Amino acid sequence: MTRQEATQRATQRSTQRTPLNRERVLRAAVALADTTGIDALSMRRLAQELDVVPMALYKHVANKEELLDGMTDAVVGEIDPPGAGPDWRHVVRARILSARRVLLRHPWAARVIESRTGPTPAVLEYLDSTAGIFREGGLSADLTHHVMHAMGSRLLGFSQELFATPGSGGSGESADPAGSADSVAASGPPDPGLAERYPYIAELAAASHDGDSVVGGGCDDQFEFEFALDLLLDGFERLRDQGWTSAR
Amino acid sequence: MTRQEATQRATQRSTQRTPLNRERVLRAAVALADTTGIDALSMRRLAQELDVVPMALYKHVANKEELLDGMTDAVVGEIDPPGAGPDWRHVVRARILSARRVLLRHPWAARVIESRTGPTPAVLEYLDSTAGIFREGGLSADLTHHVMHAMGSRLLGFSQELFATPGSGGSGESADPAGSADSVAASGPPDPGLAERYPYIAELAAASHDGDSVVGGGCDDQFEFEFALDLLLDGFERLRDQGWTSAR
DNA sequence: ACCTGAACACCGTTCAAGT
DNA sequence: ACCTGAACACCGTTCAAGT
């Protein structure tokens, strides 16, 4: 390679890729996790994807934990801002369902968010504005406090089921206690021993798809999520109307 | 070392430790995770703890995933069997609070259980007998199915809060959206900027410890867990009494 | 046939050597 | 002063060599 060729190549490379910055690192990390799963996301693999040497990443994130913090903020930032409307239940419901759609787009996000030791700025902002919806809906600060706890990670759209549904991608975001029922009853030639050993689970599995669809797990994740969400919102509203306070 | 000494030492070693078996491997793994946290549990470290060569473990568990499955079963096996009694709400409540106590003893267990791709035998048995409590309480199979989904991982005593409370050990089992509020307001000299940026969170934090205790996070995890649990059980009972069915 | 040391293909991060 | 290749201390698991 001549000196001129080398210069050309260097120029070409520097023009064809924008110089590395935090934003680009985070976006590449999110994209990599989306396509290959969170387990395959390593600093080395990410560097390779960005066509830089691994150590180059450490100029933009202090370490892998900070990378994961940044990815969390990027994902939480995708959640729709709270809408306007007179009905606080509708507003909070719409926002949480938006969060759920975001988590479904990024199946790895639930586990990453749960693994953060503290809330990131975007999460704090999300929690603050969501608390505001409850407060403006007439719930006392006391009740809102316990409501936020009761919602727990469901606030961010987590399914919080026990096991990943068969269909879910890689690093299970949604899961399925009654669905494990379904697996027991529906997977291949149903072992008669299982239905005998777990009679109640077998019964639940039957209840889940005696309708039109008999294929697959048989559980409608969206239905189950909204069932629990509405049950909780119902309960919150009832407590508000009763003027509930924690006794202390 | 003489030949006799070598024989003695070999004999001593073989008598002072029972020969390795699956049971002993699992118990050592649980103990190691309890004391050092789940992140420090590696096949190599576990082998070292048992005073064997790493490869010796692979005769008793196929791989690390199977080790984690076994640890899950060991922990879930610690949950009290369902008690007897006419009040299904009391029975299911007591059982779930027992599960919660078990998880508090093994702070790593929640994350390990969540990471299982499918239910282990002990989990299936737990879910089956818990579904049985609901069924015998008069809930239809249909309602019980959705109830199990709505409970999600809370069935196994998971706190399901967003972030680990400051006090919780290592691999966060319990967490705290409103508690993150508390951290914001309570940590050190409260940055006035934070309360302005997150006014609702600041308000919740204030609501959480305007009582007697002002120290620490200020949240009573046990209270929050039971608040949500009872809210859900209330809702289930109400649906049962209304003869609720999913429309399909 | 059984057991196991060395090796393989990784990992996050440190650090010193090179420019 | 900046950048980065090599190195460090790990990891789960394979595999072939040794008994």
Side-chain angles (χ1 to χ4, degrees):
Chain A
M1 194 191 290
T2 68
R3 188 186 190 83
Q4 196 187 11
E5 278 168 348
T7 308
Q8 272 184 347
R9 171 169 291 197
T11 307
Q12 194 178 33
R13 204 196 296 156
S14 69
T15 52
Q16 99 186 17
R17 54 166 162 128
T18 35
L20 208 56
N21 57 37
R22 195 166 203 274
E23 178 67 19
R24 230 164 68 78
V25 169
L26 293 182
R27 263 188 304 163
V30 168
L32 188 57
D34 285 347
T35 59
T36 67
I38 194 67
D39 289 339
L41 178 79
S42 68
M43 297 298 277
R44 292 167 121 106
R45 178 89 168 71
L46 176 60
Q48 180 184 305
E49 206 73 16
L50 287 163
D51 196 25
V52 298
V53 76
M55 283 313 297
L57 298 176
Y58 286 82
K59 206 178 3 186
H60 303 102
V61 289
N63 49 40
K64 191 174 184 181
E65 285 300 294
E66 199 183 291
L67 177 75
L68 294 173
D69 280 348
M71 292 170 70
T72 294
D73 269 2
V75 163
V76 172
E78 290 182 28
I79 302 172
D80 290 337
D87 182 0
W88 66 275
R89 281 190 50 165
H90 178 264
V91 175
V92 80
R93 192 175 194 282
R95 189 143 205 245
I96 288 173
L97 291 180
S98 167
R100 179 173 149 81
R101 284 192 301 274
V102 170
L103 283 205
L104 290 176
R105 281 205 294 273
H106 306 291
W108 49 269
R111 267 217 269 184
V112 167
I113 294 172
E114 272 179 333
S115 73
R116 300 306 80 209
T117 54
T120 58
V123 170
L124 274 176
E125 179 145 325
Y126 175 84
L127 293 177
D128 189 72
S129 65
T130 304
I133 304 173
F134 286 114
R135 290 290 285 122
E136 279 153 30
L139 279 69
S140 69
D142 180 25
L143 178 55
T144 300
H145 177 102
H146 301 296
V147 157
M148 297 286 283
H149 275 285
M151 291 291 299
S153 52
R154 210 181 292 263
L155 275 172
L156 277 173
F158 289 29
S159 282
Q160 306 196 144
E161 310 240 9
L162 257 179
F163 299 103
T165 55
S168 99
S171 327
E173 63 75 21
S174 131
D176 197 353
S180 65
D182 302 338
S183 331
V184 169
S187 64
D191 180 345
L194 284 182
E196 276 156 34
R197 199 164 355 174
Y198 309 115
Y200 289 110
I201 286 183
E203 186 186 40
L204 300 196
S208 84
H209 41 58
D210 54 5
D212 33 12
S213 155
V214 189
V215 293
C219 290
D220 181 339
D221 288 345
Q222 186 69 21
F223 180 88
E224 308 300 350
F225 186 85
E226 296 186 18
F227 175 85
L229 177 57
D230 290 335
L231 200 65
L232 288 165
L233 293 178
D234 271 349
F236 302 156
E237 187 167 46
R238 192 169 286 115
L239 292 179
R240 180 200 63 176
D241 293 345
Q242 292 171 356
W244 183 93
T245 60
S246 61
R248 53 186 162 153
Chain B
M1 193 192 292
T2 69
R3 188 187 188 84
Q4 197 186 11
E5 280 169 345
T7 307
Q8 272 184 346
R9 170 168 293 196
T11 306
Q12 195 177 32
R13 204 197 296 158
S14 69
T15 52
Q16 98 188 16
R17 55 164 162 129
T18 35
L20 208 56
N21 57 36
R22 193 164 204 276
E23 178 68 18
R24 232 164 67 80
V25 169
L26 294 181
R27 264 188 304 163
V30 167
L32 187 58
D34 285 347
T35 58
T36 67
I38 195 66
D39 289 340
L41 177 79
S42 67
M43 297 297 277
R44 291 167 122 105
R45 179 89 168 71
L46 176 59
Q48 180 184 305
E49 206 74 13
L50 286 162
D51 197 25
V52 298
V53 76
M55 283 312 298
L57 298 176
Y58 286 80
K59 207 179 2 186
H60 303 102
V61 290
N63 48 41
K64 192 175 183 181
E65 286 300 294
E66 198 182 293
L67 176 76
L68 294 173
D69 281 347
M71 293 169 70
T72 294
D73 269 1
V75 162
V76 172
E78 289 181 29
I79 301 171
D80 291 336
D87 182 359
W88 65 275
R89 281 190 50 164
H90 178 263
V91 176
V92 79
R93 193 176 194 282
R95 189 141 206 245
I96 289 173
L97 291 180
S98 167
R100 179 173 149 81
R101 285 192 300 274
V102 170
L103 283 205
L104 289 176
R105 282 205 295 273
H106 306 290
W108 48 270
R111 266 217 270 183
V112 167
I113 293 172
E114 272 179 332
S115 73
R116 300 306 81 209
T117 54
T120 59
V123 170
L124 274 176
E125 179 145 327
Y126 175 83
L127 293 176
D128 188 73
S129 66
T130 304
I133 303 172
F134 286 114
R135 291 290 285 122
E136 278 154 29
L139 280 69
S140 68
D142 180 26
L143 178 55
T144 300
H145 177 101
H146 301 296
V147 157
M148 297 286 283
H149 274 286
M151 291 292 298
S153 52
R154 210 181 293 263
L155 275 172
L156 277 172
F158 289 29
S159 281
Q160 308 195 142
E161 310 240 9
L162 258 179
F163 300 103
T165 55
S168 99
S171 327
E173 62 74 22
S174 129
D176 197 353
S180 64
D182 301 338
S183 330
V184 170
S187 64
D191 179 346
L194 283 182
E196 278 155 33
R197 199 163 356 172
Y198 309 115
Y200 289 111
I201 286 183
E203 186 186 41
L204 300 196
S208 83
H209 39 60
D210 54 4
D212 35 11
S213 154
V214 188
V215 294
C219 290
D220 181 340
D221 287 345
Q222 186 70 23
F223 179 88
E224 308 300 351
F225 187 85
E226 295 187 19
F227 174 86
L229 177 58
D230 290 334
L231 199 66
L232 288 165
L233 292 178
D234 272 349
F236 302 156
E237 188 168 47
R238 191 169 287 114
L239 292 179
R240 181 200 63 175
D241 294 344
Q242 292 171 354
W244 183 93
T245 60
S246 60
R248 48 158 148 193

